[in-house]
């Protein structure tokens, strides 16, 4: 009996660890691409604040050049997409530009990488690549 329970547990652990997107419940098909294309690049304005990002769902097409214009409403924040090697800080009164071309569709979590107060850990969002 113990052995069976152990096997069932192993199966659950395996399912829990198997490869999947950052945002399991996000279906890219439910989201519309945002921003506007300027000179062949999709330009999206993103504002960080205590404590979140506006917008917190950044939706783009795979294979398309993306330019994020990052600003902050209050204090210095960070913008990090670990899986895309992006990590910048956004200082007040500044526009921080990040350019990249996401090659693979999927859902990638982004978050604030600069300690910015009590809600720092809740500053998260998703880059959705369709
Ligand atoms: Cu914003 Cu940490």
């Amino acid at each position: 009996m113990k052995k069976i329970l152990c096997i069932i547990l192993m199966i659950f652990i395996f399912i829990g660890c198997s490869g999947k997107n950052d945002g399991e419940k996000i279906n890219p098909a439910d989201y519309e691409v945002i921003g506007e294309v300027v000179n062949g690049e999709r330009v999206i304005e993103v504002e960080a604040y205590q404590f979140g990002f506006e917008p917190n769902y950044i939706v783009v097409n795979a294979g398309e050049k993306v330019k994020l214009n990052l600003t902050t409403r209050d204090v210095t924040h960070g913008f990090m997409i670990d899986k895309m090697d992006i990590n910048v800080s956004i200082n007040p009164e500044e526009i921080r530009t990040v350019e990249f071309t996401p090659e693979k569709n999927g859902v990638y979590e982004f978050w604030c990488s600069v300690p910015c107060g009590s809600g720092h850990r809740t500053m998260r969002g998703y880059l959705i690549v369709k």
Side-chain angles (χ1 to χ4, degrees):
M1 187 62 195
K2 235 180 171 179
K3 201 173 171 185
I4 292 167
L5 279 175
C6 194
I7 289 167
I8 291 170
L9 188 66
M10 295 275 281
I11 290 169
F12 273 107
I13 290 170
F14 180 75
I15 291 169
C17 297
S18 58
K20 61 182 177 234
N21 285 329
D22 283 346
E24 292 174 66
K25 292 173 195 116
I26 294 172
N27 178 7
D30 295 339
Y31 293 82
E32 295 288 329
V33 170
I34 64 166
E36 60 175 318
V37 178
V38 181
N39 299 327
E41 221 178 14
R42 182 163 298 279
V43 180
I44 301 168
E45 317 291 328
V46 180
E47 189 180 44
Y49 61 92
Q50 285 170 313
F51 294 100
F53 292 95
E54 176 57 44
N56 61 347
Y57 290 89
I58 299 172
V59 191
V60 299
N61 293 313
E64 185 177 53
K65 268 175 98 179
V66 174
K67 179 180 181 179
L68 303 179
N69 288 330
L70 305 165
T71 54
T72 166
R73 198 181 293 172
D74 36 53
V75 301
T76 298
H77 295 281
F79 183 85
M80 183 172 188
I81 310 176
D82 197 29
K83 287 179 182 166
M84 302 219 169
D85 264 332
I86 293 167
N87 186 14
V88 296
S89 43
I90 315 160
N91 298 310
E93 329 261 307
E94 225 179 68
I95 299 173
R96 188 67 202 249
T97 296
V98 170
E99 290 175 285
F100 61 102
T101 305
E103 301 294 349
K104 262 184 77 183
N105 57 0
V107 179
Y108 306 85
E109 193 172 18
F110 62 81
W111 57 87
C112 178
S113 54
V114 173
C116 57
S118 60
H120 163 65
R121 282 166 194 278
T122 65
M123 281 189 70
R124 276 160 198 278
Y126 292 101
L127 170 74
I128 299 168
V129 183
K130 289 167 72 101

